[in-house]
Amino acid sequence: MRFTLMRSARLLFASAVVALLSPDSLAAQSTGAVRGRVVENGGQRPVADVQVGIVGTTLGAITNSAGEYIIANVPAGEHRIRARRLGFRADDHQLTLSAGTTARADFTLSPTATQLSQVVVTGTAGAVERRTVGNSITQIDVADLTEKNSIMNVSEILQGKSPGVSILPGSGASGTAGEIRIRGAGSTSGYSPAVYIDGIRYNISDLGGFSATGGGTAGLAQSTQVTSALNWLNPNDIESIEVLKGPAAATLYGAEASNGVIQIITKKGNRGQQALRWGFRAERGQNEWMLEPAPNYTTCDAAKQAATISATNLDPLWPGCQGKPVNTVLTENPMMEDSRALRVGDLSRLSMTLRGGGDRYSMYLSGDRDTDQGVFFNNDVNRTSVRSNFSFNPNDKADFAVTMNWQDGRIRL
């Protein structure tokens, strides 16, 4: 019995020596740990989901909600620790780790803009990366354009900024629009593209009875003044515009997309702790008719001197010829005299925005008032619009959003 106990003790001792001399045990004696905390620059708030890793190795960890992390089994020696997270500038720390010890590396990350693969909105469910879409897509950064330039309408945004899109100019009168063609004039189903605003179909047909052919309205049969509901959108409320020109666009949006698709993405609030940001913009301009119309001439003959108005003769009188000798030449320029037809055009635009958000909500509110008086007394446009959106994310599985747009306008041509 004694021999058996002594033999068992020797075996246990030998096993312990082998375990201590094994590679895993030797490695444990030559490693340490790195721990620390990651906070945001300025507010010193903890930053979660930060990837902290040992450069040149596969060792790493992710910070918790308190911004804390720990990396175990790090070989002793000199190491470079790197912290990275989307939306923040990466930061590196150099440290020396001794065997069997725990070194500390704290990080302070600064927010920064990050350029990602471009994402576009299509007719399929959700957004996709641009390089995975077979269609020809042109994306216009409208927010940047409106910040640097004075853009009056959506047609000006598309003009010359999207290859393959042509804008046939309108008459130039206030309230008129150009005709948009994306796939040329060879289509037999019309020229107008399909327009979507935040995924909702938007009708850009002529306003009221104003159309290129008059729309059957008496007195407008020869009208060439084209109007479009697209130009009633405020460019300052648009974030970006995507133009789909590929023939496969019809597979995403249906047969009405055979002439191309214009996808308009409006501005929205940004989530994250931030103060409310107010914006105010005012524009003022004038337009004057500088080309003097040619004067009118007429010769007073016997027929004009004897002309009268009756039930069978509705020709107007020639009061200037009454009492004048035959062959008297009269001249007049009614367009330029006594302010009968022309005036100095006036344009004013006021816009106010409010944007803000928190960790789980975002909001955006804008109001606009436009007044545009053309050079002709019978041409003016008045428009008022209010747009708002609000999104709320109560938890990780629910998202609530409301978008509202109200417009009221009057156009006279």
Side-chain angles (χ1 to χ4, degrees):
M1 183 68 177
R2 181 178 179 183
F3 175 78
T4 304
L5 291 175
M6 292 180 63
R7 185 177 181 181
S8 300
R10 291 175 182 175
L11 290 175
L12 291 173
F13 178 77
S15 300
V17 171
V18 172
L20 290 174
L21 295 179
S22 65
D24 292 339
S25 298
L26 293 176
Q29 292 178 358
S30 61
T31 61
V34 178
R35 68 185 309 162
R37 189 167 183 261
V38 182
V39 297
E40 182 180 352
N41 187 20
Q44 298 298 309
R45 294 188 306 157
V47 183
D49 300 326
V50 179
Q51 295 182 356
V52 183
I54 311 297
V55 178
T57 70
T58 58
L59 300 175
I62 298 178
T63 60
N64 56 20
S65 59
E68 298 174 343
Y69 73 93
I70 182 170
I71 306 175
N73 299 324
V74 180
E78 294 282 341
H79 293 289
R80 187 153 54 101
I81 318 297
R82 176 173 297 168
R84 298 181 301 173
R85 190 186 190 280
L86 189 65
F88 292 86
R89 185 178 292 106
D91 191 16
D92 291 1
H93 276 4
Q94 197 78 20
L95 58 81
T96 301
L97 180 65
S98 300
T101 63
T102 299
R104 187 169 187 87
D106 295 328
F107 295 88
T108 302
L109 301 184
S110 300
T112 182
T114 304
Q115 181 66 32
L116 304 176
S117 298
Q118 288 185 323
V119 176
V120 295
V121 179
T122 66
T124 57
V128 298
E129 291 186 5
R130 181 174 181 175
R131 60 175 177 262
T132 64
V133 181
N135 298 319
S136 174
I137 299 177
T138 299
Q139 192 170 31
I140 304 174
D141 188 353
V142 182
D144 183 66
L145 289 176
T146 54
E147 183 177 352
K148 299 177 180 178
N149 305 278
S150 178
I151 305 295
M152 300 307 303
N153 50 56
V154 179
S155 296
E156 290 187 14
I157 298 174
L158 298 172
Q159 181 71 50
K161 298 179 179 64
S162 178
V165 179
S166 60
I167 310 293
L168 302 183
S171 67
S174 298
T176 58
E179 186 175 357
I180 302 174
R181 295 184 180 181
I182 294 181
R183 299 191 61 191
S187 176
T188 59
S189 60
Y191 306 124
S192 298
V195 177
Y196 289 83
I197 301 179
D198 294 332
I200 300 175
R201 185 71 165 89
Y202 185 74
N203 187 5
I204 63 170
S205 59
D206 299 310
L207 298 171
F210 300 109
S211 65
T213 59
T217 305
L220 292 177
Q222 304 300 323
S223 174
T224 59
Q225 301 187 101
V226 180
T227 59
S228 173
L230 184 63
N231 281 353
W232 283 60
L233 299 176
N234 182 18
N236 296 324
D237 287 338
I238 300 176
E239 186 72 30
S240 63
I241 293 179
E242 297 169 1
V243 182
L244 281 73
K245 302 182 289 291
T251 64
L252 300 176
Y253 294 91
E256 63 180 1
S258 59
N259 297 316
V261 176
I262 297 177
Q263 179 77 257
I264 298 176
I265 296 92
T266 60
K267 293 181 179 178
K268 298 176 177 62
N270 298 323
R271 292 184 180 179
Q273 292 293 338
Q274 55 183 303
L276 292 176
R277 289 180 294 172
W278 292 85
F280 180 78
R281 183 166 181 166
E283 301 179 31
R284 185 66 185 269
Q286 288 187 336
N287 185 25
E288 187 174 358
W289 187 290
M290 301 301 297
L291 179 62
E292 183 176 352
N296 297 326
Y297 294 89
T298 188
T299 301
C300 295
D301 52 18
K304 293 179 179 178
Q305 289 181 337
T308 59
I309 295 180
S310 63
T312 58
N313 182 14
L314 299 180
D315 293 334
L317 292 172
W318 292 82
C321 289
Q322 305 302 318
K324 299 288 185 180
V326 178
N327 296 328
T328 299
V329 178
L330 301 181
T331 178
E332 189 174 7
N333 196 335
M335 295 288 289
M336 303 300 296
E337 295 177 1
D338 302 328
S339 298
R340 298 177 182 177
L342 296 177
R343 64 181 174 185
V344 177
D346 184 82
L347 167 69
S348 64
R349 169 176 289 180
L350 299 176
S351 177
M352 186 176 64
T353 61
L354 175 63
R355 175 182 288 188
D359 291 336
R360 292 193 174 274
Y361 76 94
S362 65
M363 56 87 64
Y364 179 86
L365 174 65
S366 70
D368 307 278
R369 171 63 179 169
D370 296 347
T371 303
D372 187 2
Q373 294 182 344
V375 294
F376 296 102
F377 280 96
N378 61 344
N379 176 211
D380 56 72
V381 178
N382 292 277
R383 184 182 67 86
T384 304
S385 67
V386 177
R387 198 180 72 83
S388 175
N389 61 68
F390 177 80
S391 64
F392 177 59
N393 179 218
N395 52 57
D396 295 336
K397 296 183 179 180
D399 194 7
F400 177 76
V402 174
T403 299
M404 183 274 293
N405 184 56
W406 175 83
Q407 280 190 133
D408 180 68
R410 173 182 179 270
I411 180 173
R412 182 172 65 169
L413 298 178

